[in-house]
Amino acid sequence: MKATSQTIRQKTVVNVRTGCGFSKMRTKGKCKKKRGFAICEKICGRIFQKCDGKARVYFRSLGIHRPSTSVLKIENDSNCQMQAFIKLGSKKKIIEQTIDGYQEAAFVVVSIYKLEIICTSANEEDKFCKGKFELMIRS
């Protein structure tokens, strides 16, 4: 994973090389070193947009070369209806989920590429859609 960015507040994730975990009871240099990278990044954001039926991008990943497992949680804190489009980078699949008012949904996905949300409202009184999302990326 080279870099990850969030469109509202820019967030960049870079690989950090993990070394050997040292403990007090270490035996004569028999510490196993892990090869590669281990990252667990939590990205949170607020959802606030007009209920006009237009798609807004809340997360987009850039430069991911190897698969990662992600847990995505979306909360709807308004009376509007959210429609989430989760695009996966591995096979260009799209997961579509409708989240009703004051509900939440959670997903476990592999190699998330983009999160888009469309808000619609049946009432003219509800002009804005509110909520939040949390994304845990592990690779």
Side-chain angles (χ1 to χ4, degrees):
M1 181 185 318
K2 268 196 175 171
T4 304
S5 68
Q6 179 181 349
T7 57
I8 295 174
R9 292 183 184 170
Q10 294 298 320
K11 178 82 174 184
T12 303
V13 179
V14 293
N15 289 333
V16 178
R17 189 144 188 102
T18 59
C20 180
F22 296 104
S23 67
K24 292 180 182 176
M25 303 203 51
R26 194 175 80 156
T27 57
K28 296 182 182 178
K30 291 187 177 181
C31 184
K32 295 180 182 178
K33 290 189 177 185
K34 292 183 179 179
R35 303 267 180 208
F37 301 100
I39 295 176
C40 186
E41 182 70 28
K42 183 175 181 180
I43 300 170
C44 301
R46 294 215 176 266
I47 298 169
F48 187 81
Q49 68 185 58
K50 288 184 178 181
C51 294
D52 56 0
K54 292 183 182 178
R56 306 284 194 280
V57 177
Y58 283 92
F59 174 81
R60 179 180 296 145
S61 63
L62 304 171
I64 294 178
H65 297 292
R66 61 185 177 141
S68 60
T69 302
S70 304
V71 177
L72 175 65
K73 181 177 151 186
I74 303 171
E75 294 181 18
N76 186 353
D77 297 333
S78 63
N79 201 20
C80 299
Q81 188 178 52
M82 287 185 190
Q83 194 167 10
F85 294 95
I86 304 162
K87 295 184 181 181
L88 306 178
S90 59
K91 296 181 181 177
K92 303 294 182 192
K93 290 185 179 181
I94 298 175
I95 299 172
E96 182 180 337
Q97 178 69 40
T98 302
I99 304 154
D100 293 325
Y102 302 103
Q103 299 292 318
E104 64 182 46
F107 310 91
V108 177
V109 294
V110 177
S111 297
I112 187 168
Y113 173 69
K114 188 190 293 186
L115 169 64
E116 292 181 326
I117 294 180
I118 297 175
C119 289
T120 56
S121 176
N123 299 336
E124 291 184 16
E125 297 172 5
D126 300 324
K127 294 182 181 180
F128 292 98
C129 193
K130 301 177 201 173
K132 64 180 180 178
F133 72 94
E134 293 178 8
L135 179 62
M136 292 280 290
I137 301 173
R138 170 172 237 141
S139 63

